[in-house]
């Protein structure tokens, strides 16, 4: 339960930080009132999606099928985030830069148009929130803690909003890549654990295997970062 | 809608990596080396993440 809440909180923190950058850029153009209205509408849409997603998944009465479906979705999410985090950690890809993102948004011509800016804020919040939605629904339904997972995501939102209100600038110092790396290892652990369990495999250590898998993905990811970094530096020398 | 589908399934490479990893795991699970599947799936996924990082 604690692992699920921490994974949800961290995933949500990263996504809300990115969403905050978009809302801030829009707020400086059309005002905080309308920007927050767009963000609120997107949050409402996400709440409806969470309800609908949970309802659909709880219709699956066969535990093995439910575990397999959720395991596959978590694995798709986790392997994508781990790949990105390794690429960024090794320098194969630029780190996500909230300041640059903010500057690019402010340079957009359509952000001065009230209607277009409203939709930029709405779409931004919705798209960033979809990954939070996936984690809340997938981890929550499987463990029967959807409400607690949703609360962890809302707590992350409150923390980002509070930090944003204090600073009134993009939250560029949040270590997004380190958080994404850790979350991807945790999500992949749950994903691979449930996929194999649904296929009839009995994990030798039971639930304690989750911790072993988490350590495996963390250490494996770190090894990949070092290997890619070494290759990149070797290529520069040649 | 596009963002929704991308969030759920990722891109073609992510789908291919996950599908291949699960297929390999199923094959190993139905082989005499079925006990090794607990290592095979995580290794396949880690290799997949390495591939995704470079592409």
């Amino acid at each position: 339960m604690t692992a699920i809440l921490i994974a949800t909180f961290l995933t949500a923190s990263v996504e809300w930080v990115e969403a905050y950058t978009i809302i801030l850029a829009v707020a400086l153009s059309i005002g905080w009132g309308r920007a927050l209205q767009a963000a609120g509408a997107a949050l409402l849409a996400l709440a409806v999606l969470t309800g609908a997603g949970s309802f659909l998944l709880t219709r699956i009465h066969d535990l093995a099928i439910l575990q397999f479906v959720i395991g596959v979705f978590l694995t798709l999410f986790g392997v994508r985030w781990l790949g990105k985090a390794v690429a960024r950690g090794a320098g194969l890809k630029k780190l996500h830069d909230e300041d640059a993102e903010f500057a690019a948004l402010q340079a957009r011509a359509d952000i001065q148009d009230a209607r277009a800016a409203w939709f930029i804020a709405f779409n931004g919040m919705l798209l960033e929130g979809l990954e939070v939605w996936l984690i809340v629904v997938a981890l929550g339904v499987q463990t029967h803690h959807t409400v607690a997972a949703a609360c962890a995501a809302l707590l992350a939102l409150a923390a980002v909003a509070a930090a944003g209100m204090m600073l009134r600038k993009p939250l560029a110092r949040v270590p997004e890549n380190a958080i994404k790396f850790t979350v991807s290892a945790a999500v992949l652990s749950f994903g691979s654990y449930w996929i194999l369990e649904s296929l009839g495999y009995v994990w030798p250590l039971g639930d304690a295997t989750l911790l072993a898998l988490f350590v495996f993905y963390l250490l494996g990811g770190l090894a990949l970062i070092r290997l890619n970094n070494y290759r990149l530096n070797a290529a520069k020398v040649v | 809608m596009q963002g929704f589908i991308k969030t759920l399934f990722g891109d073609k490479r992510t789908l291919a990596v996950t599908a291949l990893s699960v297929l390999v795991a199923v094959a190993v699970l139905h082989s005499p080396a079925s006990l090794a599947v607990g290592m095979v799936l995580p290794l396949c996924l880690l290799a997949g993440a390495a591939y995704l990082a470079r592409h």
Side-chain angles (χ1 to χ4, degrees):
Chain A
M1 162 96 166
T2 313
I4 286 163
L5 295 185
I6 293 172
T8 309
F9 180 85
L10 290 176
T11 307
S13 302
V14 171
E15 297 304 325
W16 297 144
V17 163
E18 290 176 11
Y20 167 73
T21 303
I22 300 169
I23 304 297
L24 178 66
V26 169
L28 293 181
S29 161
I30 61 171
W32 277 102
R34 298 207 67 191
L36 288 177
Q37 191 190 61
L43 277 176
L44 197 65
L46 287 168
V48 172
L49 272 175
T50 304
S54 303
F55 177 78
L56 280 176
L57 285 175
T58 47
R59 297 297 97 190
I60 303 174
H61 295 297
D62 188 324
L63 182 66
I65 296 175
L66 181 67
Q67 271 186 326
F68 185 78
V69 170
I70 289 178
V72 166
F73 280 126
L74 287 176
T75 303
L76 283 165
F77 178 91
V79 80
R80 189 170 72 231
W81 267 34
L82 186 62
K84 268 188 203 173
V86 166
R88 287 179 174 150
L92 296 169
K93 217 174 154 185
K94 270 188 183 174
L95 285 171
H96 191 85
D97 184 347
E98 291 304 325
D99 286 328
E101 197 71 30
F102 181 70
L105 276 164
Q106 283 204 308
R108 278 176 67 158
D110 54 352
I111 206 162
Q112 299 307 328
D113 176 64
R115 196 178 151 87
W118 192 92
F119 277 106
I120 290 172
F122 177 79
N123 281 336
M125 189 76 184
L126 189 64
L127 284 179
E128 301 299 344
L130 276 176
E131 290 188 321
V132 181
W133 164 79
L134 177 67
I135 293 297
V136 167
V137 172
L139 290 179
V141 168
Q142 175 60 22
T143 57
H144 308 292
H145 290 305
T146 311
V147 175
C151 287
L154 287 175
L155 191 67
L157 177 65
V160 170
M165 274 170 64
M166 276 194 297
L167 292 172
R168 295 286 172 123
K169 60 179 188 174
L171 304 173
R173 295 181 75 175
V174 173
E176 280 187 43
N177 206 48
I179 296 176
K180 275 193 170 180
F181 180 69
T182 313
V183 168
S184 65
V187 169
L188 262 182
S189 307
F190 282 112
S192 35
Y193 183 86
W194 283 330
I195 284 177
L196 287 186
E197 202 172 58
S198 71
L199 293 172
Y201 180 68
V202 180
W203 289 97
L205 300 176
D207 286 353
T209 312
L210 278 169
L211 186 63
L213 284 169
F214 178 64
V215 172
F216 172 82
Y217 287 122
L218 269 189
L219 294 179
L222 284 173
L224 286 179
I225 289 175
R226 293 201 74 165
L227 183 70
N228 280 305
N229 208 304
Y230 174 77
R231 276 189 189 167
L232 198 69
N233 289 336
K236 276 180 193 166
V237 170
V238 173
Chain B
M1 197 61 195
Q2 213 176 355
F4 183 71
I5 291 169
K6 205 178 170 192
T7 302
L8 276 181
F9 301 105
D11 56 8
K12 283 179 190 167
R13 287 193 176 103
T14 312
L15 264 176
V17 160
T18 307
L20 276 174
S21 302
V22 173
L23 282 177
V24 169
V26 171
V28 173
L29 201 59
H30 290 92
S31 75
S34 61
L35 283 178
V37 75
M39 273 312 291
V40 171
L41 181 63
L43 275 173
C44 285
L45 290 172
L46 199 61
Y51 166 77
L52 291 175
R54 294 195 70 85
H55 294 88

